[in-house]
Amino acid sequence: MARFGNDQTNIGSLDVRKVGTSSRVEAFFVPTEPPPEKSTAQQRLAGGVKLIELDTEAGVLKIHPIYTIPTHIRYLRPKYEQVHTITVETSSLRQYLGAPDVEAILETLSPGFVKDFAYGLGLLKDCNRLIRLIEENTACDEIIFTDGNSSTVDGTTFRLGVERFSAIWTEITRINSRGNRASSRVKDVFVNNNLASTLGLPATEYSLGRHPDSRVIAMAADGVDKLSNIERDALVKVIASESAVIAESTPQKFQQLKRDIELVNLDRLIDVYSDSLNRDETEPYWQRFFDDNAFALQQVFGAPMVSVQSEARVGGRGLAGNGDKIADYLFKNSLTNNVALVEIKRPTTQIIDNREFRGGVFGPSTELNRAVTQVLDQAYSLTKNLTGLKESSRQWDLESYAISCFVVAGRTPSSSEPQRQKSFELYRANSRNVTIVTYDEILEHLQLLRNFFAPTTPSTKEI
């Protein structure tokens, strides 16, 4: 069987069960070590973690990929966000279904599949980009592999011909090989040129190669100043593992290239963020946006913070199993591990009342007050429950010395309304335990950062 990284041979076993007198067989994953008491993994295990369904008569194999690493935060949960079932209905599979040896049948799957149940099944890591593409652009929760070369979307099902899939996997492996060969050429030339004078050898020029991937890495090492956006993207993927070597051989050009790439990525983030602000997007949209662009959300902090969990459960569940407190984001300080909570609302959220309370004084809106109270309640719940949550999630590097609370909502009052601006600043400056940040302030942070990184034109001195 295929093995990937750490040996997970003894991580669990398959419990294969025949379904009544039918031709169906189900296989459940059983961990060698039971999950922690009262953890989500234990709850899932109590209901049975079904990994495989096999119908020997129909010739259909259904796989439900899961995480099988006990230390993973999503242990025993589905491996993919949306696609929870991978079905194989190919003619090549049917000839092996006479004797339902589940593990032997897994070994007959096409290259590109994870064939060892101990690794949770599904597709190999390099094929996860296929899963992501389907999830981001369709409502499909199942991929069915069939004979042929076709690909179609049928409601919530994505049908993909195994020949098409094999061709995709073959090209992915070729791209990996081309990248490795290009990296080897760069390393060979670097070592040669570094020691050429000592050994009495001539310096060697970088070979660009014929394929675009090869050309990009060679051009970067040779100090080419200007690269297209496509080349920058390709460069990030191809030379990530060789960046230290290239930085040592041509440090000034590498730093310039690195800055160009950062500017391109930052420009794209600013463009997408700005466009999204101009549309009336829902709160779930912004949740997904910040999931994919955590860097934008990190602009609200004044300390080094890293994301721990989106939609984090921070306690509050009652005896009846309801009442969970769910924070939009749980962050932690990367140096002290002190946690922070972020509650997001929509950019269209009203933050200041329309009605004037006194002469030139406007109170905070009901929506803003509710958001502030909500995040404070979440912090209170997290303080009481953090020990249990660390135990159940097996994540120990979290501390609640002084939980920081943030609310991201609405837009800053316009400069044409100075009294409303004043009222907003007075309110949030005196909101001792909650920092309030508007969506347009995050955009301004990103734009100021972009201006800081932008190349400057040196001034000329008059002679």
Side-chain angles (χ1 to χ4, degrees):
M1 291 186 178
R3 298 284 180 256
F4 315 96
N6 294 330
D7 187 3
Q8 295 180 207
T9 306
N10 300 317
I11 207 165
S13 59
L14 274 185
D15 178 14
V16 181
R17 310 173 189 173
K18 187 174 178 60
V19 181
T21 59
S22 68
S23 59
R24 291 180 55 226
V25 171
E26 296 179 342
F28 295 76
F29 180 76
V30 181
T32 302
E33 296 292 334
E37 291 287 334
K38 298 182 181 179
S39 65
T40 303
Q42 186 191 50
Q43 295 172 12
R44 285 187 56 82
L45 189 60
V49 181
K50 187 187 297 183
L51 193 57
I52 299 167
E53 294 178 75
L54 178 62
D55 189 333
T56 57
E57 185 174 320
V60 176
L61 172 68
K62 287 185 177 291
I63 297 170
H64 306 287
I66 61 167
Y67 285 104
T68 56
I69 302 175
T71 56
H72 198 284
I73 194 170
R74 293 174 60 85
Y75 181 43
L76 300 186
R77 293 173 61 186
K79 187 177 287 187
Y80 310 119
E81 293 292 331
Q82 182 176 299
V83 174
H84 293 166
T85 304
I86 294 177
T87 301
V88 181
E89 298 180 350
T90 61
S91 56
S92 60
L93 173 70
R94 297 188 189 104
Q95 61 182 311
Y96 296 98
L97 296 180
D101 182 343
V102 174
E103 294 188 56
I105 289 173
L106 290 175
E107 288 296 314
T108 68
L109 295 174
S110 300
F113 279 78
V114 177
K115 303 178 183 181
D116 190 337
F117 74 87
Y119 293 85
L121 301 183
L123 302 183
L124 292 178
K125 186 176 181 180
D126 253 343
C127 287
N128 284 349
R129 63 196 76 252
L130 184 150
I131 300 286
R132 289 196 300 270
L133 183 67
I134 293 172
E135 289 184 333
E136 291 170 1
N137 296 281
T138 74
C140 296
D141 57 11
E142 181 181 13
I143 301 176
I144 298 180
F145 288 87
T146 60
D147 290 322
N149 195 42
S150 63
S151 59
T152 59
V153 176
D154 184 12
T156 59
T157 299
F158 189 92
R159 293 183 175 273
L160 181 62
V162 71
E163 292 178 17
R164 183 80 163 268
F165 174 73
S166 296
I168 292 172
W169 172 247
T170 298
E171 185 57 28
I172 287 175
T173 57
R174 286 174 180 164
I175 291 171
N176 288 337
S177 296
R178 285 192 290 264
N180 291 335
R181 290 195 298 271
S183 298
S184 295
R185 288 201 303 273
V186 170
K187 288 183 281 190
D188 288 344
V189 172
F190 165 73
V191 172
N192 178 88
N193 292 350
N194 190 277
L195 300 175
S197 60
T198 303
L199 299 175
L201 300 173
T204 305
E205 292 186 1
Y206 292 105
S207 171
L208 295 182
R210 291 177 296 176
H211 196 275
D213 289 347
S214 299
R215 297 180 66 84
V216 167
I217 190 171
M219 288 167 64
D222 204 25
V224 175
D225 287 318
K226 293 185 178 180
L227 300 175
S228 69
N229 288 345
I230 295 176
E231 288 172 332
R232 286 189 179 102
D233 290 342
L235 181 63
V236 171
K237 298 175 184 177
V238 175
I239 68 168
S241 62
E242 302 301 320
S243 57
V245 175
I246 299 174
E248 185 176 349
S249 62
T250 54
Q252 292 181 338
K253 295 299 183 181
F254 181 80
Q255 287 300 323
Q256 179 63 46
L257 174 62
K258 182 173 178 286
R259 186 164 65 176
D260 286 346
I261 294 173
E262 290 170 347
L263 284 174
V264 169
N265 289 333
L266 188 54
D267 281 339
R268 289 178 178 174
L269 175 59
I270 291 172
D271 289 343
V272 174
Y273 189 95
S274 181
D275 289 342
S276 299
L277 274 183
N278 294 329
R279 300 192 302 269
D280 187 17
E281 297 291 358
T282 63
E283 189 174 319
Y285 169 86
W286 285 104
Q287 183 89 34
R288 293 192 300 272
F289 179 89
F290 288 130
D291 283 346
D292 296 335
N293 301 279
F295 178 74
L297 193 57
Q298 285 172 328
Q299 302 310 303
V300 306
F301 304 114
M305 306 293 285
V306 293
S307 178
V308 176
Q309 181 67 44
S310 170
E311 296 185 321
R313 284 172 166 77
V314 295
R317 177 173 292 191
L319 294 176
N322 58 356
D324 260 350
K325 309 287 185 182
I326 302 177
D328 286 333
Y329 289 96
L330 175 65
F331 280 78
K332 72 167 185 175
N333 187 301
S334 59
L335 298 179
T336 67
N337 294 326
N338 189 51
V339 296
L341 298 177
V342 180
E343 180 67 24
I344 65 169
K345 299 301 178 185
R346 294 169 61 178
T348 54
T349 297
Q350 184 178 341
I351 58 175
I352 294 295
D353 266 347
N354 288 325
R355 206 170 40 172
E356 192 174 11
F357 177 64
R358 289 286 188 271
V361 177
F362 295 82
S365 69
T366 301
E367 291 176 281
L368 183 58
N369 273 330
R370 286 174 178 170
V372 169
T373 304
Q374 182 180 5
V375 74
L376 288 172
D377 181 56
Q378 291 165 358
Y380 173 70
S381 182
L382 181 58
T383 302
K384 293 195 304 178
N385 295 284
L386 184 59
T387 301
L389 291 170
K390 288 162 68 173
E391 174 71 28
S392 62
S393 64
R394 314 296 291 177
Q395 185 159 351
W396 311 107
D397 56 344
L398 301 174
E399 301 295 344
S400 58
Y401 303 126
I403 298 178
S404 302
C405 298
F406 297 82
V407 169
V408 177
R411 293 173 182 261
T412 306
S414 169
S415 58
S416 63
E417 302 175 292
Q419 299 300 331
R420 294 172 66 84
Q421 276 193 346
K422 179 192 73 173
S423 297
F424 174 58
E425 290 292 11
L426 286 172
Y427 173 74
R428 72 169 173 180
N430 289 278
S431 180
R432 186 179 61 179
N433 295 319
V434 180
T435 301
I436 301 168
V437 182
T438 61
Y439 277 83
D440 51 329
E441 285 177 324
I442 293 178
L443 178 60
E444 183 69 13
H445 269 286
L446 294 172
Q447 290 172 334
L448 289 174
L449 186 62
R450 199 263 179 245
N451 293 338
F452 176 79
F453 282 120
T456 57
T457 303
S459 58
T460 58
K461 297 182 179 180
E462 293 184 2
I463 299 176

